[in-house]
Amino acid sequence: MNSADHDRPGLLSNAASLFGSRKAEQKLLFLTGVYTLAGMLVIFLTMPGATGRIALQAGLATVAGFFLVHIYWHFTGFKGDCFLLPVTAVLSATGLVFLFRLNSAYGTRQFIWLLAALLALLLTTRLLKDFRFLGDYKYIYALVGLVALILPIFFGREQGGAKSWLDFGLFQFQPSEFVKILVVLFLASFLDENKEALAAGTRSVGWLNIPSPQEWAPLVVMWGVSLLLLVFQKDLGTALIYFGTFLAMVYVATSRIVYAVFGMGLFLTGASASYFLFDHVRSRVEIWLNPWPLIDTTGYQVIQSIFAIGSGGVIGAGLGQGFPNLIPAVHTDFIFAAICEEMGLAGGVSVIILFMIFVYRGIKIALKTKDDFASLAAAGLTALLGLQAFIILAGVTKMLPLTGVTLPYMSYGGSSLVANFILLGLLLNISHEAEMRL
């Protein structure tokens, strides 16, 4: 046996130690910090005056904020996944840079919300580290979530075509962003208790074994909640995310494709009926099929988005060199179009790859944990974020009807940003528990 054979176990051990500790996270956050400050420096040089100074200071504070979270986890022995925070940091920093480039007021407000989101992440990983107890309160989640969804129908403010906002004067709040997490926790707890009955069935109808009505009830309730959102809040995107996450979790719990197919059939039936009954649904579909006759009205944004993505080419026009402000909602739904215009295909593909890495790490966490409730919750949270990213990216590029949801961690919006950082914290808590049990 030569010396290389002796050294190999040591090298493997060192590599495992590097990626098993928070050193990998530290190194990746350092690279993210350089990337963030480079972007803010460009803003500082191209937008002299107060805007440039505020952007540079916000960049420094953002980098410091992510490092403080990392340092806290390092000294408290937190074992959560080391790659999710850097991935989230890159997505958040990219969104922040582009918001300052588009409008300094949006950038400043998003920076304040980002600090609040980091605090929410820290509190989630501190106060909810023992994740398992969350499975005991499923009916409280259902009740709170239902009330939170109904409130905007009566007291909400319509914005961007959806009546899903509560106006508190100083700020606006979108309950559906937080209800998404409650839905995942409720379903994880319910499916953990009933997955055997759902998988095997308790009665036979011909050749098919089906569960009793008690086990079917959540499917019908989720279908109703999705249509409630679609019809009364006009929030097609959130309805799609809720129902898609539900079907993904049912499939993970039971491994029965028949539930997913039947659920899709239910949703398509409801959506088809909505197309004929409601103008706002019909308008979204018509824009998707052929926006060109509507270029001066409802199709304007989608067409400007396609122009922006196409004009970016492979490497983009450069930060600050494009015309993304021609898209009215570029800071929310269409921030991906602005990124493609100024960072090109390379920038757009990089964003998609980062979301794919996030989903990959989330699936690994779901597979690694031995607790069924935690595994289902991890799968649901991952499906939730992945579906939201896919639905808005597909809407901006005209693969699907535009649904008006935010691009997670990147679009302007405090409710979305804070909710998605809480989602990240819950996912990391599941990862921490899985590592502690090894």
Side-chain angles (χ1 to χ4, degrees):
M1 184 178 292
N2 56 37
S3 59
D5 295 325
H6 287 293
D7 291 338
R8 194 171 294 122
L11 289 173
L12 292 174
S13 174
N14 290 338
S17 175
L18 174 65
F19 288 100
S21 71
R22 307 216 75 81
K23 288 182 181 175
E25 183 178 82
Q26 183 184 27
K27 292 175 184 293
L28 292 171
L29 281 179
F30 175 77
L31 295 175
T32 304
V34 172
Y35 166 78
T36 305
L37 294 178
M40 290 303 186
L41 190 60
V42 172
I43 299 292
F44 175 74
L45 294 174
T46 56
M47 302 176 72
T51 298
R53 286 197 302 275
I54 293 171
L56 195 57
Q57 291 165 1
L60 286 166
T62 299
V63 173
F66 277 101
F67 264 105
L68 284 174
V69 173
H70 160 75
I71 291 168
Y72 174 77
W73 287 348
H74 176 76
F75 283 105
T76 56
F78 188 64
K79 302 288 186 184
D81 187 277
C82 290
F83 297 95
L84 285 176
L85 185 67
V87 167
T88 307
V90 177
L91 292 171
S92 303
T94 305
L96 191 62
V97 168
F98 268 87
L99 287 171
F100 269 108
R101 176 261 178 272
L102 294 168
N103 187 315
S104 62
Y106 291 137
T108 304
R109 287 200 286 267
Q110 184 79 348
F111 165 64
I112 295 169
W113 280 114
L114 182 55
L115 295 183
L118 285 170
L119 179 62
L121 171 64
L122 207 62
L123 291 174
T124 303
T125 55
R126 176 72 181 88
L127 302 176
L128 304 179
K129 188 185 289 186
D130 184 11
F131 183 82
R132 192 63 189 81
F133 83 97
L134 292 175
D136 298 334
Y137 303 100
K138 57 181 177 295
Y139 292 112
I140 294 179
Y141 305 142
L143 179 63
V144 172
L146 197 59
V147 171
L149 286 180
I150 290 173
L151 281 177
I153 295 173
F154 298 101
F155 307 106
R157 175 180 175 182
E158 188 165 327
Q159 188 171 312
K163 192 178 180 182
S164 56
W165 295 84
L166 293 175
D167 192 347
F168 291 96
L170 287 177
F171 66 95
Q172 295 178 348
F173 175 69
Q174 190 175 16
S176 59
E177 289 288 345
F178 295 90
V179 174
K180 289 185 297 192
I181 297 173
L182 295 179
V183 167
V184 169
L185 294 177
F186 166 76
L187 289 173
S189 181
F190 184 89
L191 291 170
D192 183 27
E193 287 182 5
N194 297 279
K195 61 179 181 296
E196 285 83 8
L198 284 166
T202 54
R203 60 183 63 186
S204 297
V205 177
W207 55 270
L208 187 65
N209 291 328
I210 62 171
S212 65
Q214 291 91 328
E215 281 87 34
W216 273 107
L219 178 62
V220 178
V221 170
M222 284 303 300
W223 180 62
V225 168
S226 300
L227 289 184
L228 186 79
L229 286 163
L230 184 65
V231 174
F232 292 104
Q233 291 193 15
K234 304 178 184 177
D235 198 344
L236 178 63
T238 305
L240 271 173
I241 293 167
Y242 278 26
F243 207 70
T245 302
F246 168 70
L247 292 181
M249 292 182 70
V250 169
Y251 180 72
V252 169
T254 64
S255 301
R256 293 189 69 178
I257 193 68
V258 65
Y259 290 140
V261 172
F262 185 66
M264 285 296 295
L266 274 179
F267 187 80
L268 289 175
T269 302
S272 300
S274 301
Y275 173 83
F276 293 105
L277 292 173
F278 304 105
D279 291 339
H280 63 277
V281 177
R282 192 159 48 249
S283 173
R284 294 289 178 98
V285 175
E286 287 172 354
I287 294 168
W288 172 54
L289 292 174
N290 185 11
W292 298 102
L294 308 168
I295 189 170
D296 293 325
T297 55
T298 51
Y300 178 78
Q301 289 208 110
V302 170
I303 289 176
Q304 287 299 330
S305 171
I306 295 169
F307 283 154
I309 293 171
S311 64
V314 176
I315 59 172
L319 187 60
Q321 302 304 308
F323 302 95
N325 282 318
L326 292 174
I327 309 171
V330 67
H331 58 293
T332 55
D333 304 1
F334 289 91
I335 195 165
F336 183 72
I339 292 169
C340 288
E341 182 176 4
E342 301 199 340
M343 295 177 72
L345 179 66
V349 169
S350 299
V351 168
I352 293 171
I353 289 174
L354 286 169
F355 280 112
M356 291 173 70
I357 293 172
F358 192 109
V359 171
Y360 170 73
R361 300 303 300 181
I363 291 172
K364 281 201 72 172
I365 291 170
L367 292 173
K368 198 170 188 178
T369 183
K370 305 300 181 188
D371 182 277
D372 287 344
F373 167 71
S375 180
L376 283 166
L381 294 169
T382 303
L384 180 67
L385 189 123
L387 277 170
Q388 182 165 340
F390 170 75
I391 286 170
I392 187 59
L393 290 175
V396 170
T397 53
K398 216 175 94 53
M399 284 175 59
L400 289 176
L402 186 65
T403 53
V405 296
T406 57
L407 186 58
Y409 304 114
M410 305 188 79
S411 293
Y412 174 74
S415 299
S416 170
L417 196 63
V418 174
N420 283 319
F421 269 83
I422 292 173
L423 182 154
L424 172 65
L426 293 174
L427 205 50
L428 288 171
N429 285 346
I430 297 170
S431 172
H432 168 80
E433 188 172 296
E435 290 292 335
M436 294 297 285
R437 290 190 177 191
L438 292 178

